Amino acid sequence: MTNNFTFTIIKPGAVAHEHIGEILTMITRAGFWISAMKYLKLNEEQARYFYSIHQGKPFFEDLIRFMTSGPIVVAILEKEDAVEEYRKLIGNTDPAKAEPGTIRKLFAESIQRNAVHGSDSNENAVKEANFFFSLSERFTKAGKFPI
Ligand code: IDP
Ligand code: MG
């Protein structure tokens, strides 16, 4: 299984507070290559599908409302050990527990409105990337596709 890319979302709260630029700067400064990127708004069906693993949890309905509340940025990020490296860069799900200097420590408003999504495994990175991007929309740092 590939381990050289991950998938991210800049969530509605961080977009609404105009943090897209700062977050993308942190991502690229940390050595990630942006292989693909889109600005869009999720509909309810898409949000429920994307977060289906959390269906039934107490925060699920609120999470769907939040994730469909405004535009988001979705992107595929290329780096060696991307999934693990990106989880380090974003920090803990709960900003109160996130390490200093992480994206969530800097930009999360709450455990729900926590600025960004990052894939939790290579398998999910592949699924999430494929949900939003076709192969012809993806470009490796070396200028080739697909990854
Ligand atoms: P992750 O985004 O760090 O992988 P997950 O456990 O996969 O965290 O949860 C998915 C998303 O659901 C979180 O990023 C956050 O937006 C929301 N969430 C998770 N736990 C809670 C909670 O306890 N209360 C409210 N929202 C939560
Ligand atoms: Mg998760």
Side-chain angles (χ1 to χ4, degrees), residues 1-2 4-5 11 21-22 34 40 44 46 53 59 71 85 87 94-95 100 108 115 130 133-134:
M1 183 63 78
T2 176
N4 70 339
F5 72 85
K11 297 186 181 185
E22 291 156 286
I34 299 172
L40 55 90
E44 191 181 324
Q46 291 169 323
I53 192 166
F59 59 82
E85 290 294 304
R87 294 293 302 203
D94 181 355
N130 288 345
F133 297 98
S134 65

Side-chain angles (χ1 to χ4, degrees), residues 73-89:
V73 175
V74 294
I76 300 173
L77 307 176
E78 180 187 335
K79 191 181 201 256
E80 202 175 318
D81 299 324
V83 167
E84 194 188 335
E85 290 294 304
Y86 193 60
R87 294 293 302 203
K88 274 191 227 156
L89 180 66

Side-chain angles (χ1 to χ4, degrees), residues 11 51 53-54 57 59 62-63 66-67 87 90-94 104 110-114 116-120:
K11 297 186 181 185
Y51 278 118
I53 192 166
H54 297 298
K57 292 187 184 166
F59 59 82
D62 272 354
L63 179 63
F66 167 55
M67 290 302 295
R87 294 293 302 203
I90 69 178
N92 195 284
T93 307
D94 181 355
R104 282 171 165 169
S110 67
I111 189 167
Q112 179 197 65
R113 301 173 67 89
N114 59 1
V116 287
H117 166 83
S119 307
D120 63 6

Side-chain angles (χ1 to χ4, degrees), residues 116-129:
V116 287
H117 166 83
S119 307
D120 63 6
S121 65
N122 293 326
E123 189 189 356
N124 283 335
V126 170
K127 280 190 199 160
E128 293 169 0

